[in-house]
Each structure stands twice: as structure tokens, then as C-alpha cells.
Amino acid sequence: MKKKVIGLIDGQSGNIGSINKAIKDIIKGRPYQLKIIKSHFNYKSFDKIILPGQGAYATLMSNLKKLKIIQPLKKYLENNSSYLGICVGMQILSDWGYEEKTTRGLGIISGDIKKFINKKLIIPHMGWNTVNLKKDDTIIANSFDKKDFYFVHSYIFQNIKKSDVLAFTLYGQKFPSIVKKGNIYGVQFHPEKSHKHGLNLIKNYILKS
Amino acid sequence: MLKTRIIPCLDVIKNKVVKGVNFKNIRVMGNAVEMAKYYSLSGADELCMLDINASYQNRKTFIKTVESIAKVINIPLTVGGGVSDLSDITDLLNAGADKVSINSAAVRNPKLIRQASLRHGSQCIVVAIDGKRHKDKMKVVIKGGREITKNELIAWAKKVQSLGAGEILMTSMDTDGVQNGFDSNMLKKVTSNVSIPVIASGGVGSLEHFYLGHLTKSTGLLAASVFHSRKYKIKTVKKYLSSKGVPVRL
């Protein structure tokens, strides 16, 4: 039986250690293999790609550019192939990011990444907060309605189409915490840091999608 | 709604969690990896671990301990103690820390905060501030409170925020280790002058102290002894806070 190939992109934007370990634990004894993507890759040779990211939008985009990952990743996503973007790995699916400087994103899910509007908020939004499902999603999200996940971010997805928002979270305002378009998922929180619900979400993504 | 974080803190020498007042009468409380695992499973929202004796020889074992802990927990891990330059920060992040806490090195060289947050992102740079009252003023102290710096506490808190710190770990040396409660007055002064998250540290001895800590607008509440001594389970603290209307992750 041919093994499914999972690509984990190391965009040099934070530590991939915990997500790497989570994936390895999940696929142990199952017909999957994990490859770390650090440079240009053949987008046809992956069944799933996960991109975790921390830090700034502009930094991640420029790292991916330097590593020659942008072009194959765009092709992969335009093909509606299976993807899970975490935090900034979700944000760069948008058209534009406004963190530090205006940066063009991958343009897969229309919208912009802008700072929380409410000036009185403690920023970054750091800690555990609740995910509220807006729609059914039998693949990854259904069992996580009203569950808490770990967030750390100052920027949120704005001007996004309602149909691309799978779940929202409240922090001074409603903001999208899970986005979905076709086979492409993005989560604003860090499932790899969100204890059992987080690990189950990654598990669902890998095994069910 | 954002939950108030309950954060057990491990003071570590090599691979052992210890307790001691000002480095005297140091007692071993347990194995760091085992304790970290236990707290992660029993509902801690984050974990903090500090190398309290960061000598050259102890450091290697400590870093290995960070690696082992990062492998067995899946909640955020903040690591501090003995961080003096950018390469120390990189080493700890590579070992699996999610956030690195800088204390006296930031006081000696405030530029380090900016350099570190530009390189790794503000979200993983915590500045630990030790505060103490001195001649009617709140000052920043280093070396476990033995050295009073020229920095005024509130001015310093604002400065670390402007330099790019993502969070402040605020310990009052006036209340630390005494178990009479957090330093509400000092904490309120800090939280009302910065817009980044503040973790309250120093002085928890009872359930009510956690609630009073929450009232200071600190979004993280750190404690060591009450957890290590098994006086309270994390769940007990959270149930209590929840009954008082504080949002917690149960």
C-alpha cells in the first residue's frame, strides 16, 4: 500500500518541534510518511501540507520566498490540495498582511490580516479561548464546538467572506479562528500547544481529511 | 472569552525542581520532567521553568531537561534563568521552549529585548521583572532582590513593552516566598500602565490569593509552592476561580 505523504513546511518562523512530534505520534504504525519541506518542492508529491508559523506575516512570506517555497505552495493550494495552516501559516492564505509592513499574501482566501481594532485590549491575545463553530465540518472541527484552544497573536483575518469562516472566537470582537475553503484549512490558534483537543484536531486533519 | 491562565512554576537545578529561600536550605521537590508531565495532564494552562543556578556545568543538563519536558507536554512552555544573550535565547527555543524569559540581562542591556523580539517575534519574548519598594518608590531589582537598580518599576515596564516584549512576568520581591498573597498594589500599577499581558508572580498561599491576583488584571497567575507541596491541585484552583465568576479552562 502506498503511503500518504505529509509535508511539514519549516518556514523558519518559530519552532516546528512540537508539531513535528505531534504528527510523528499520530502516524506511527499508520500508512503515512512525514517529510520536512525546507526548499523548493514538487507539489504533486504531497498528499497533505502543514505550515505552522509564529511571528510576523512579512517575515514568514520573505522566508518562504528565500527558500523558494512560495511558487510550489501556491500551485499546490490553487489545486485545492489538502492544507492546514497554523497561526501565521493560516494568515498568509489571505490577500494582504498589514503587520510591520504591507505584504502580499498567497491570495487563496480573500481578506486581509489586520490588527485587533479595540485599543483597550491587552495585546497580544494570549491564552486559552473558545472556538465557536458556525458550520458543520465532519472532517476536523465538529467535536470542538465551545472547546478552548491556545492563542497567541495580535492580528486577525478581516474582510473575509462569511462562507470561508468555519469558526469564530471572541476577544473584544468576533474574529475567525478556523477558516476553510475547499480542502484548505487554517486555524488561528496553536493546536500543537492546545493539549488533547489540539492533538485531536491535528489527528482529525491527518486521518480524516 | 479569554481564560485566566494558571501557571505552575518550576525552579530547576539541572533536572530537579527545588525550593529554597534565597538559595539557602535548598530542598529537592521532585524530578522536573515528571512534575512537568503531571502539571500538563492535570490542567495547567502553561508551564514556566527557571534555571535558578545557571552555571556552565549545570546549563547543559538544564537544556537537556528543557528538551525532555518539551517532548512530554503539549501546552506552552516558558523558560528563563541565566539568559544573557541572543544565543542563549536561540538555544532555549531550539530546545523546545515556546517563550524565553529575560530578566537581569534585559536590565543590563535593554537592546537585547528589541533584538530578540525582532529575530524571534514578540510573542516568544517574556521580560521578567522583579520589583521591590525602596524609599517609597517601586524599583526594579536584580540578583534575587539583593541589588536595587536605578530603574523605576513603571517606567521600566513601559520601556520593555516599547522595546517589543510580548509579555511581562511580574514578581514582587516584597511578597515572594511569603505566601501572604500577590502584591496587588504593585501588580495593578503595572497592568494599568502597559497593554501587553502580565503574569502575576510571588506570594500565593491560598485560593483567595488567586482570585485577588485575577482582580489586578493580570491574565496569568503563577504559583510554585502551593502546587509542589500538593496543597492545591490545579483543578481545585480553577473550580474555585470559576465559582467566583473568573473565566478559566476547566
Side-chain angles (χ1 to χ4, degrees), chain A residues 14-15 18 21 25 54-56 59 100 119 121-130 148 150 152 169-171 191-196 199, chain B residues 1-3 5 40-41 44-46 71 74-76 93-99 120-121 123-124 166-167 195-197 217 219 248-250:
Chain A
N15 204 318
S18 6
K21 183 181 174 284
D25 288 348
Q54 281 180 358
T59 312
E100 286 171 18
K119 296 269 185 290
L121 284 176
I122 295 171
I123 297 291
H125 171 224
M126 186 186 282
W128 299 76
N129 205 335
T130 312
D148 290 330
Y150 187 81
V152 49
T169 293
L170 289 170
Y171 189 61
E192 76 281 15
K193 294 287 152 201
S194 298
H195 209 238
K196 57 176 194 237
L199 294 183
Chain B
M1 198 180 210
L2 184 66
K3 310 298 185 292
R5 289 171 284 158
S40 171
L41 284 172
D45 296 308
E46 263 183 60
K71 278 186 190 136
N74 32 41
I75 55 173
L93 292 172
N94 285 341
D98 297 294
K99 304 186 236 183
H120 300 289
Q123 82 288 337
C124 60
E167 190 171 34
S195 58
I196 53 178
K217 301 225 160 41
T219 55
V248 288
R249 179 178 68 107
L250 284 169

Coordinates of all heavy atoms in Angstrom, one line a residue, chain A residues 14-15 18 21 25 54-56 59 100 119 121-130 148 150 152 169-171 191-196 199, chain B residues 1-3 5 40-41 44-46 71 74-76 93-99 120-121 123-124 166-167 195-197 217 219 248-250:
Chain A
G14 N 9.5 30.3 14.0 CA 9.2 29.6 15.2 C 9.6 28.2 15.1 O 10.0 27.6 14.1
N15 N 9.4 27.5 16.2 CA 9.8 26.1 16.4 C 8.8 25.1 15.8 O 7.6 25.2 16.1 CB 9.8 25.9 17.9 CG 10.8 24.9 18.3 OD1 10.8 23.8 17.6 ND2 11.5 25.1 19.3
S18 N 7.3 20.9 18.3 CA 6.1 20.2 18.9 C 5.1 19.7 17.8 O 4.5 18.6 18.0 CB 5.3 21.2 19.8 OG 5.8 22.4 19.8
K21 N 6.6 16.5 16.4 CA 6.4 15.4 17.3 C 5.0 14.9 17.3 O 4.7 13.7 17.2 CB 6.8 15.7 18.7 CG 6.7 14.5 19.6 CD 7.1 14.8 21.0 CE 6.8 13.5 21.8 NZ 5.4 13.4 22.1
D25 N 3.8 11.1 16.3 CA 3.0 10.2 17.2 C 1.7 9.7 16.5 O 1.3 8.6 16.7 CB 2.6 11.0 18.5 CG 3.8 11.2 19.4 OD1 4.9 10.6 19.1 OD2 3.7 12.0 20.3
Q54 N 4.9 31.3 13.4 CA 4.8 32.3 14.6 C 5.4 33.6 14.1 O 6.1 33.6 13.1 CB 5.6 31.8 15.8 CG 4.9 30.7 16.5 CD 5.7 30.3 17.7 OE1 6.8 30.7 17.9 NE2 5.2 29.4 18.5
G55 N 5.2 34.6 14.8 CA 5.9 35.9 14.4 C 5.2 36.6 13.3 O 4.0 36.5 13.2
A56 N 5.9 37.4 12.6 CA 5.3 38.3 11.6 C 5.0 37.7 10.3 O 5.7 36.9 9.8 CB 6.2 39.5 11.5
T59 N 7.7 38.4 7.7 CA 8.8 37.6 7.9 C 8.6 36.2 7.3 O 9.5 35.7 6.6 CB 9.1 37.4 9.4 OG1 9.1 38.7 10.0 CG2 10.5 36.8 9.7
E100 N 3.7 45.1 10.5 CA 5.0 45.8 10.2 C 5.0 46.5 8.9 O 5.1 47.7 8.8 CB 6.2 44.8 10.3 CG 6.5 44.5 11.7 CD 7.5 43.4 11.9 OE1 8.2 43.1 10.9 OE2 7.6 42.8 13.0
K119 N -8.7 49.4 21.0 CA -7.4 49.9 21.5 C -7.2 49.5 23.0 O -6.1 49.6 23.6 CB -7.3 51.4 21.4 CG -7.3 51.9 20.0 CD -5.8 52.0 19.5 CE -5.8 52.6 18.1 NZ -6.3 51.7 17.0
L121 N -7.8 46.6 24.4 CA -7.5 45.2 24.6 C -6.0 45.0 25.0 O -5.1 45.7 24.6 CB -7.7 44.4 23.3 CG -9.1 44.1 22.9 CD1 -9.1 43.4 21.5 CD2 -9.8 43.2 23.9
I122 N -5.8 43.9 25.8 CA -4.4 43.5 26.1 C -4.0 42.7 24.8 O -4.6 41.8 24.4 CB -4.4 42.6 27.3 CG1 -4.8 43.4 28.5 CG2 -3.0 42.0 27.5 CD1 -5.0 42.6 29.8
I123 N -2.9 43.2 24.2 CA -2.4 42.6 23.0 C -0.9 42.2 23.2 O -0.1 43.0 23.8 CB -2.4 43.7 21.9 CG1 -3.9 44.1 21.6 CG2 -1.7 43.1 20.6 CD1 -4.7 43.0 20.9
P124 N -0.5 41.0 22.8 CA -1.2 40.0 22.0 C -2.4 39.4 22.8 O -2.4 39.4 24.0 CB -0.1 39.0 21.7 CG 1.0 39.2 22.6 CD 0.9 40.7 23.0
H125 N -3.3 38.8 22.0 CA -4.4 38.0 22.6 C -3.6 36.7 22.9 O -3.3 35.9 22.0 CB -5.4 37.8 21.5 CG -6.4 36.7 21.8 ND1 -6.9 35.8 20.9 CD2 -7.1 36.5 22.9 CE1 -7.8 35.0 21.5 NE2 -8.0 35.4 22.7
M126 N -3.4 36.4 24.2 CA -2.5 35.3 24.6 C -3.2 34.5 25.6 O -3.6 35.0 26.7 CB -1.2 35.9 25.1 CG -0.2 34.8 25.5 SD 1.3 35.4 26.3 CE 2.2 36.2 24.9
G127 N -3.4 33.2 25.3 CA -4.0 32.3 26.3 C -5.1 31.5 25.6 O -5.2 31.4 24.4
W128 N -5.9 30.8 26.5 CA -6.9 29.9 26.0 C -8.2 30.6 25.8 O -8.7 31.3 26.6 CB -7.1 28.7 27.0 CG -5.8 28.0 27.3 CD1 -4.8 28.4 28.0 CD2 -5.5 26.7 26.8 NE1 -3.8 27.4 28.0 CE2 -4.2 26.4 27.2 CE3 -6.2 25.8 26.0 CZ2 -3.6 25.2 26.9 CZ3 -5.5 24.6 25.7 CH2 -4.2 24.3 26.1
N129 N -8.8 30.3 24.6 CA -10.1 31.0 24.3 C -11.0 30.0 23.5 O -10.5 29.0 23.0 CB -9.9 32.3 23.5 CG -11.0 33.2 23.7 OD1 -12.2 32.8 24.0 ND2 -10.8 34.5 23.5
T130 N -12.2 30.3 23.5 CA -13.2 29.3 23.0 C -13.4 29.4 21.5 O -13.6 30.5 20.9 CB -14.6 29.5 23.7 OG1 -14.3 29.6 25.1 CG2 -15.6 28.4 23.4
D148 N -11.8 25.0 24.3 CA -10.7 26.0 24.4 C -9.4 25.6 23.7 O -9.0 24.5 23.8 CB -10.4 26.3 25.8 CG -11.5 27.0 26.5 OD1 -12.3 27.8 25.9 OD2 -11.7 26.8 27.8
Y150 N -5.3 27.3 22.5 CA -4.3 28.3 22.9 C -4.0 29.2 21.7 O -3.6 28.8 20.7 CB -3.0 27.6 23.4 CG -2.1 28.5 24.0 CD1 -2.2 29.0 25.3 CD2 -1.0 29.1 23.2 CE1 -1.3 29.9 25.8 CE2 -0.1 30.0 23.7 CZ -0.3 30.4 25.0 OH 0.6 31.3 25.6
V152 N -2.0 32.9 20.5 CA -1.1 34.0 20.7 C -0.9 34.7 19.4 O -0.2 34.3 18.5 CB 0.2 33.5 21.4 CG1 0.9 32.4 20.7 CG2 1.2 34.7 21.5
T169 N -14.1 33.2 17.3 CA -13.7 33.4 18.7 C -13.9 34.8 19.1 O -13.9 35.7 18.2 CB -12.3 32.9 18.9 OG1 -12.2 31.5 18.6 CG2 -11.7 33.2 20.3
L170 N -14.3 35.0 20.4 CA -14.5 36.4 20.8 C -13.3 36.9 21.6 O -12.9 36.3 22.6 CB -15.7 36.4 21.8 CG -17.1 36.2 21.1 CD1 -18.1 36.0 22.2 CD2 -17.5 37.4 20.2
Y171 N -12.8 38.1 21.2 CA -11.8 38.8 22.0 C -12.0 40.3 21.6 O -11.4 40.7 20.6 CB -10.4 38.3 21.7 CG -9.4 38.9 22.7 CD1 -9.5 38.7 24.1 CD2 -8.3 39.7 22.3 CE1 -8.6 39.2 25.0 CE2 -7.4 40.3 23.2 CZ -7.6 40.0 24.5 OH -6.7 40.6 25.4
P191 N -2.9 24.4 17.7 CA -3.3 23.1 18.1 C -2.2 22.3 18.8 O -2.4 21.5 19.7 CB -3.8 22.4 16.8 CG -3.2 23.1 15.7 CD -3.0 24.5 16.2
E192 N -1.0 22.5 18.3 CA 0.2 21.7 18.9 C 0.5 22.1 20.3 O 1.2 21.5 21.0 CB 1.4 21.9 18.0 CG 2.1 23.2 18.1 CD 1.5 24.4 17.3 OE1 0.3 24.3 16.9 OE2 2.2 25.4 17.2
K193 N -0.2 23.3 20.8 CA 0.0 23.7 22.2 C -1.3 23.6 23.0 O -1.4 24.1 24.1 CB 0.5 25.2 22.2 CG 1.8 25.4 21.6 CD 2.9 25.0 22.5 CE 4.1 24.6 21.7 NZ 4.9 23.7 22.4
S194 N -2.3 23.0 22.3 CA -3.6 23.1 22.9 C -4.1 21.7 23.5 O -5.2 21.3 23.4 CB -4.7 23.5 21.9 OG -4.4 24.8 21.5
H195 N -3.1 21.0 24.1 CA -3.4 19.8 24.9 C -4.2 18.8 24.1 O -4.0 18.8 22.8 CB -4.0 20.2 26.2 CG -3.7 19.2 27.3 ND1 -4.7 18.5 27.9 CD2 -2.5 18.7 27.8 CE1 -4.1 17.6 28.8 NE2 -2.8 17.8 28.7
K196 N -5.1 18.1 24.7 CA -5.8 17.0 24.0 C -6.7 17.4 22.8 O -6.7 16.8 21.8 CB -6.5 16.1 24.9 CG -7.5 16.7 25.8 CD -8.2 15.6 26.6 CE -9.5 16.3 27.2 NZ -9.6 16.3 28.6
L199 N -4.4 18.2 19.9 CA -3.8 17.0 19.3 C -4.9 16.2 18.5 O -4.6 15.7 17.4 CB -3.2 16.1 20.3 CG -2.0 16.6 21.0 CD1 -1.4 15.6 22.0 CD2 -0.9 17.0 20.0
Chain B
M1 N -14.5 33.7 25.4 CA -13.8 34.6 26.3 C -12.5 34.1 26.7 O -12.3 32.9 26.9 CB -14.7 34.7 27.6 CG -14.4 35.9 28.4 SD -15.5 35.9 29.8 CE -15.6 37.7 30.1
L2 N -11.5 35.0 26.8 CA -10.2 34.6 27.2 C -10.1 34.2 28.6 O -10.7 34.8 29.5 CB -9.2 35.8 27.0 CG -7.7 35.5 27.2 CD1 -7.2 34.5 26.2 CD2 -6.9 36.8 27.2
K3 N -9.5 33.1 28.8 CA -9.4 32.5 30.2 C -8.2 33.0 30.9 O -7.1 33.2 30.3 CB -9.3 30.9 30.1 CG -10.3 30.3 29.2 CD -11.7 30.5 29.7 CE -12.8 29.8 28.9 NZ -12.9 30.3 27.5
R5 N -5.0 32.4 32.9 CA -4.1 31.2 32.9 C -3.5 30.9 34.3 O -3.0 31.8 35.0 CB -2.9 31.5 32.0 CG -3.3 31.6 30.5 CD -2.1 32.1 29.7 NE -1.9 33.6 29.9 CZ -0.8 34.3 29.6 NH1 0.3 33.6 29.3 NH2 -0.8 35.6 29.8
S40 N 1.0 19.3 33.2 CA 0.4 19.4 31.9 C -0.9 18.5 31.8 O -2.0 19.0 31.3 CB 1.4 18.9 30.8 OG 0.7 18.8 29.6
L41 N -0.8 17.3 32.4 CA -2.0 16.4 32.4 C -3.1 16.9 33.3 O -4.3 16.6 33.1 CB -1.6 15.0 32.8 CG -0.8 14.2 31.7 CD1 -0.3 12.9 32.3 CD2 -1.8 13.9 30.6
A44 N -2.8 22.4 33.9 CA -2.0 23.7 33.8 C -2.2 24.3 32.4 O -2.3 23.6 31.4 CB -0.6 23.4 34.0
D45 N -2.4 25.6 32.4 CA -2.6 26.3 31.1 C -1.3 26.6 30.4 O -1.2 26.9 29.2 CB -3.3 27.6 31.3 CG -4.7 27.3 31.9 OD1 -5.4 26.5 31.2 OD2 -5.1 27.9 32.9
E46 N -0.2 26.7 31.2 CA 1.1 26.9 30.7 C 2.1 26.4 31.7 O 1.7 26.2 32.9 CB 1.4 28.4 30.5 CG 1.2 29.0 29.2 CD 1.5 30.5 29.1 OE1 2.6 30.9 29.3 OE2 0.6 31.2 28.7
K71 N 9.1 17.5 25.0 CA 8.7 16.3 24.4 C 7.5 15.7 25.0 O 6.7 15.0 24.4 CB 9.8 15.3 24.3 CG 10.8 15.5 23.2 CD 11.8 14.4 23.0 CE 12.8 14.8 22.0 NZ 14.2 14.5 22.5
N74 N 2.1 19.2 26.0 CA 1.6 20.0 24.8 C 0.8 21.2 25.2 O -0.3 21.4 24.7 CB 0.9 19.0 23.9 CG 0.2 18.0 24.6 OD1 -0.4 18.3 25.7 ND2 0.2 16.8 24.1
I75 N 1.4 21.9 26.1 CA 0.9 23.2 26.5 C 2.2 24.2 26.4 O 3.3 23.7 26.3 CB 0.4 23.3 27.9 CG1 1.4 22.8 28.9 CG2 -0.9 22.5 28.0 CD1 1.0 22.9 30.4
P76 N 2.0 25.5 26.3 CA 3.1 26.4 26.1 C 4.1 26.3 27.3 O 3.7 26.1 28.5 CB 2.5 27.7 26.1 CG 1.1 27.5 25.7 CD 0.7 26.2 26.3
L93 N 14.9 28.2 22.6 CA 13.9 28.0 21.6 C 14.1 26.7 20.9 O 13.2 25.9 20.6 CB 13.7 29.2 20.7 CG 13.2 30.5 21.3 CD1 13.3 31.6 20.4 CD2 11.8 30.3 21.9
N94 N 15.3 26.5 20.5 CA 15.7 25.2 19.8 C 15.4 24.0 20.6 O 15.1 22.9 20.1 CB 17.1 25.2 19.3 CG 17.3 26.2 18.1 OD1 16.3 26.5 17.4 ND2 18.5 26.6 17.8
A95 N 15.6 24.2 21.9 CA 15.4 23.0 22.8 C 13.9 22.7 23.0 O 13.6 21.7 23.6 CB 16.1 23.3 24.2
G96 N 13.1 23.7 22.6 CA 11.6 23.4 22.6 C 10.8 24.4 23.5 O 9.6 24.2 23.6
A97 N 11.5 25.4 24.0 CA 10.8 26.5 24.7 C 9.9 27.2 23.7 O 10.3 27.4 22.6 CB 11.7 27.4 25.4
D98 N 8.7 27.6 24.2 CA 7.8 28.4 23.3 C 8.1 29.9 23.6 O 8.0 30.7 22.7 CB 6.4 28.1 23.6 CG 6.0 26.7 23.3 OD1 6.1 26.4 22.1 OD2 5.8 25.9 24.2
K99 N 8.5 30.2 24.8 CA 8.8 31.6 25.2 C 10.0 31.6 26.0 O 10.3 30.6 26.8 CB 7.6 32.2 26.0 CG 6.3 32.2 25.3 CD 5.3 33.0 26.1 CE 4.1 32.1 26.4 NZ 3.0 32.8 27.1
H120 N 12.9 36.7 16.8 CA 12.1 35.6 17.1 C 10.6 35.9 17.1 O 9.7 35.0 17.3 CB 12.5 34.9 18.4 CG 13.9 34.4 18.3 ND1 14.3 33.3 17.6 CD2 15.0 34.8 19.0 CE1 15.6 33.1 17.7 NE2 16.0 34.0 18.6
G121 N 10.2 37.2 17.1 CA 8.9 37.6 17.3 C 8.6 37.9 18.8 O 9.0 37.2 19.7
Q123 N 6.0 37.5 20.5 CA 5.2 36.5 21.2 C 6.0 35.6 22.0 O 5.5 34.9 22.9 CB 4.3 35.8 20.2 CG 4.9 34.6 19.5 CD 5.8 35.1 18.4 OE1 5.8 36.2 17.9 NE2 6.8 34.2 18.0
C124 N 7.3 35.4 21.7 CA 8.1 34.5 22.5 C 9.1 35.2 23.4 O 9.9 34.5 24.0 CB 8.7 33.4 21.6 SG 9.8 34.0 20.4
G166 N 6.7 40.7 24.6 CA 5.3 40.2 24.3 C 4.5 40.0 25.6 O 3.3 39.8 25.6
E167 N 5.2 40.0 26.7 CA 4.6 39.7 28.0 C 5.5 40.1 29.1 O 6.7 40.1 29.0 CB 4.3 38.2 28.0 CG 3.5 37.7 29.1 CD 3.1 36.2 29.0 OE1 3.9 35.4 28.4 OE2 2.0 35.8 29.4
S195 N 0.0 47.6 27.9 CA -1.1 46.9 27.2 C -0.8 45.5 26.8 O -1.6 44.8 26.1 CB -1.5 47.7 26.0 OG -0.4 47.9 25.2
I196 N 0.4 45.0 27.2 CA 0.7 43.6 27.0 C 0.3 42.7 28.2 O 0.1 43.3 29.3 CB 2.2 43.4 26.7 CG1 3.1 44.0 27.8 CG2 2.6 44.0 25.4 CD1 4.6 43.8 27.6
P197 N 0.2 41.4 28.0 CA -0.2 40.6 29.1 C 0.8 40.6 30.3 O 2.0 40.7 30.0 CB -0.3 39.2 28.5 CG -0.3 39.3 27.1 CD 0.4 40.6 26.8
K217 N -6.0 42.4 37.1 CA -6.0 42.4 35.7 C -4.8 41.7 35.1 O -4.5 41.9 33.9 CB -6.1 43.8 35.1 CG -7.3 44.6 35.5 CD -8.0 45.3 34.3 CE -9.4 45.7 34.5 NZ -9.8 46.2 35.8
T219 N -3.3 38.5 33.5 CA -4.1 37.4 32.8 C -3.5 36.1 33.0 O -4.0 35.0 32.6 CB -4.1 37.7 31.3 OG1 -2.8 37.9 30.8 CG2 -5.0 39.0 31.0
V248 N -12.0 30.4 33.4 CA -10.9 29.5 33.4 C -11.2 28.4 32.5 O -12.3 28.1 32.1 CB -10.6 29.0 34.8 CG1 -10.0 30.1 35.7 CG2 -11.8 28.4 35.5
R249 N -10.1 27.7 32.1 CA -10.3 26.5 31.2 C -10.4 25.3 32.1 O -9.5 24.9 32.9 CB -9.0 26.3 30.4 CG -9.1 25.1 29.4 CD -7.8 25.0 28.6 NE -6.6 24.8 29.4 CZ -6.0 23.6 29.4 NH1 -6.4 22.6 28.6 NH2 -4.9 23.4 30.1
L250 N -11.6 24.7 32.1 CA -11.9 23.5 33.0 C -11.8 22.2 32.3 O -12.0 22.2 31.1 CB -13.2 23.7 33.7 CG -13.3 24.7 34.8 CD1 -14.7 24.9 35.2 CD2 -12.5 24.3 36.0

